[in-house]
């Protein structure tokens, strides 16, 4: 992979402009996505390498972004471990067998690479199609976030059951997190071996935790995962909702990039991080609903704030919402690509 703006920025090298990709860039805001989605279930899309490649390539072909991200889901690891996973329109992911006690934790598998081989197969198909044009980002869900889905049995607004587990039964929570961490290390290394050019660790629900609980039940496992990746020439991006608060701890895990939500001043975060850690973000995705002149002004405002800083990847503070107009997303990427420092 030569002359990649994304990889250069991820390794804190100077770039002529910020590279751009967007979380959930191959998703429900695209009519072309729905043409595929209406033919297959979500898990069929994830588990069929050619279809996963088709969806991964949509933003490459239609938006011209600077990095592709593998089409998959953070919960495939939990399913491989034995979670009975389903996705229902309007409801989201559900586990029919939530993890609530010692026997449930004991039943979870940890040697599951063979069950995730379809992801490696998809990566190989995608890289054939990309043909070295732009990098491919692989990813996994962080242990706390994956645990929360397993314990709650799906999405949650208050994470009550998860918090009861970590507070009343911390030893059991640590057993569960350790199992997920082991699977996550193997899974990300599987992706690296299959050919991804970068990886991102998604801790989507870390913001539910207090500082002490984040340290004990999230950060320590993320740090272990990052330390055990085969990361030579492979930048590691760490993302969580709450990165504006937890960034100093996230830096302690020594990722190459910290992806920052929209609640913080990005330059302020960057200045507080150790040298050599890049930042990614942090436009509020709701800006993409606004008029195009507003979109351009907000992107330029962020870029002027970051002028002179090496190690900056433009992204959203979280994922694209499904009803954001496609034309607005395309326009935002054009604004980024036309910009020069």
């Amino acid at each position: 992979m030569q002359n990649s703006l994304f990889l250069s920025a991820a390794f804190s090298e100077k770039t002529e402009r910020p590279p751009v990709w967007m979380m959930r860039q191959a998703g429900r805001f695209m009519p072309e996505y729905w043409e595929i989605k209406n033919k297959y279930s979500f898990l069929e899309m994830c588990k069929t390498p050619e279809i996963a490649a088709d969806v991964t390539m949509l933003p490459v072909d239609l938006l011209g972004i600077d990095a592709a991200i593998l089409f998959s889901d953070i919960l495939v690891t939990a399913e491989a471990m034995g979670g009975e996973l389903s996705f229902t329109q309007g409801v989201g992911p559900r586990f029919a067998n939530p993890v609530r006690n010692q026997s449930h934790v004991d039943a979870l598998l940890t040697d599951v690479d063979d069950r995730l081989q379809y992801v490696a197969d998809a990566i190989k198909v995608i890289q054939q199609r990309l043909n070295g044009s732009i990098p491919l980002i692989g990813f996994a869900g962080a242990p706390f976030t994956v645990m929360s889905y397993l314990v709650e049995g799906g999405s949650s607004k208050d994470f009550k059951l998860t918090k009861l587990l970590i507070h009343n039964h911390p030893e059991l929570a640590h057993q569960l997190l350790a199992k997920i961490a082991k699977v996550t290390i193997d899974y990300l290394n599987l992706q690296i071996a299959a050919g991804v050019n970068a990886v991102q660790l998604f801790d989507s629900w870390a913001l539910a935790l207090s500082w002490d609980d984040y340290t004990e039940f999230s950060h320590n496992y993320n740090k272990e995962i990052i330390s055990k990746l085969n990361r030579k020439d492979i930048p590691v991006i760490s993302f969580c909702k709450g990165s504006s608060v937890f960034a100093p701890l996230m830096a302690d895990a020594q990722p190459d990039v910290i992806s920052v939500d929209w609640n913080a001043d990005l330059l302020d975060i960057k200045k507080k991080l150790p040298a050599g850690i890049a930042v990614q973000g942090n436009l509020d995705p709701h800006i993409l609903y606004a008029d195009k002149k507003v979109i351009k002004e907000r992107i330029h405002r962020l870029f002027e704030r970051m002028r002179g800083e090496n190690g900056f990847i433009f992204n959203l503070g979280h994922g694209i919402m499904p009803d954001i107009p496609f034309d607005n997303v395309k326009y935002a990427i054009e604004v980024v690509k036309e910009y020069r420092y």
Side-chain angles (χ1 to χ4, degrees):
M1 180 64 57
Q2 299 293 320
N3 303 317
S4 163
L5 279 176
F6 168 80
L7 293 177
S8 295
F11 286 127
S12 293
E13 298 166 3
K14 187 176 180 62
T15 54
E16 63 189 26
R17 65 165 172 85
V20 53
W21 72 279
M22 294 185 181
M23 288 182 274
R24 297 199 193 122
Q25 67 187 16
R28 293 172 290 172
F29 70 101
M30 290 187 183
E32 292 82 1
Y33 172 90
W34 284 105
E35 288 178 18
I36 300 171
K37 178 68 180 71
N38 288 334
K39 298 176 186 174
Y40 308 97
S41 73
F42 183 76
L43 280 173
E44 280 179 311
M45 292 164 69
C46 293
K47 291 185 174 185
T48 310
E50 291 289 342
I51 299 172
D54 288 344
V55 181
T56 300
M57 292 299 295
L58 287 176
V60 179
D61 297 334
L62 300 174
L63 295 172
I65 37 76
D66 293 314
I69 184 165
L70 168 71
F71 178 76
S72 187
D73 192 82
I74 62 170
L75 296 180
V76 296
T77 47
E79 188 202 35
M81 294 173 74
E84 296 172 13
L85 176 64
S86 62
F87 287 86
T88 305
Q89 188 68 35
V91 177
R94 304 296 302 173
F95 284 101
N97 56 338
V99 176
R100 304 276 168 80
N101 58 41
Q102 185 71 57
S103 65
H104 295 161
V105 174
D106 291 344
L108 293 173
L109 306 173
T110 55
D111 294 317
V112 296
D113 274 8
D114 58 330
R115 294 181 169 212
L116 293 164
Q117 182 59 38
Y118 63 86
V119 176
D121 295 341
I123 288 165
K124 291 169 185 173
V125 175
I126 295 162
Q127 286 290 34
Q128 287 174 350
R129 298 198 195 176
L130 288 172
N131 194 28
S133 57
I134 57 172
L136 174 63
I137 304 167
F139 70 92
F144 172 76
T145 290
V146 173
M147 177 177 81
S148 74
Y149 282 100
L150 280 170
V151 171
E152 302 288 342
S155 302
S156 173
K157 292 183 178 178
D158 59 10
F159 302 95
K160 182 178 179 180
L161 294 171
T162 308
K163 290 193 170 191
L164 279 173
L165 178 68
I166 67 175
H167 295 148
N168 287 346
H169 306 285
E171 305 87 355
L172 187 59
H174 282 303
Q175 288 180 39
L176 176 52
L177 288 163
K179 280 194 158 187
I180 299 169
K182 194 269 183 193
V183 169
T184 307
I185 292 162
D186 292 346
Y187 178 52
L188 287 173
N189 282 329
L190 175 86
Q191 293 183 39
I192 291 168
V196 297
N197 308 105
V199 294
Q200 178 158 315
L201 191 63
F202 281 88
D203 208 353
S204 304
W205 302 126
L207 189 57
L209 294 170
S210 69
W211 183 273
D212 286 349
D213 286 342
Y214 174 77
T215 304
E216 181 177 354
F217 296 101
S218 177
H219 167 68
N220 288 339
Y221 291 96
N222 296 346
K223 183 176 181 178
E224 178 193 3
I225 289 165
I226 291 171
S227 74
K228 292 181 177 177
L229 296 182
N230 303 324
R231 60 191 287 194
K232 185 180 185 300
D233 301 324
I234 305 289
V236 177
I237 307 167
S238 183
F239 166 79
C240 77
K241 268 187 178 175
S243 51
S244 51
V245 175
F246 297 131
L249 261 182
M250 295 168 75
D252 177 63
Q254 299 185 315
D256 298 288
V257 186
I258 291 177
S259 191
V260 182
D261 58 40
W262 65 87
N263 301 106
D265 178 86
L266 195 59
L267 183 62
D268 182 56
I269 294 282
K270 182 83 162 67
K271 294 292 190 186
K272 292 176 180 176
L273 294 174
I277 295 185
V279 291
Q280 176 176 276
N282 70 335
L283 190 76
D284 180 349
H286 293 81
I287 296 293
L288 297 181
Y289 287 118
D291 294 338
K292 288 183 177 178
K293 65 180 182 179
V294 177
I295 294 171
K296 184 173 185 176
E297 188 275 326
R298 289 301 185 94
I299 292 173
H300 280 190
R301 184 191 300 182
L302 175 60
F303 285 3
E304 289 304 313
R305 184 82 176 124
M306 296 300 292
R307 181 179 286 276
E309 291 292 321
N310 293 345
F312 168 41
I313 298 165
F314 176 78
N315 208 310
L316 305 176
H318 199 236
I320 299 173
M321 280 78 79
D323 60 344
I324 286 178
F326 174 85
D327 284 349
N328 286 13
V329 180
K330 187 169 178 61
Y331 177 74
I333 290 166
E334 289 168 356
V335 169
V336 174
K337 294 178 74 171
E338 289 168 358
Y339 188 87
R340 291 296 180 273
Y341 286 127

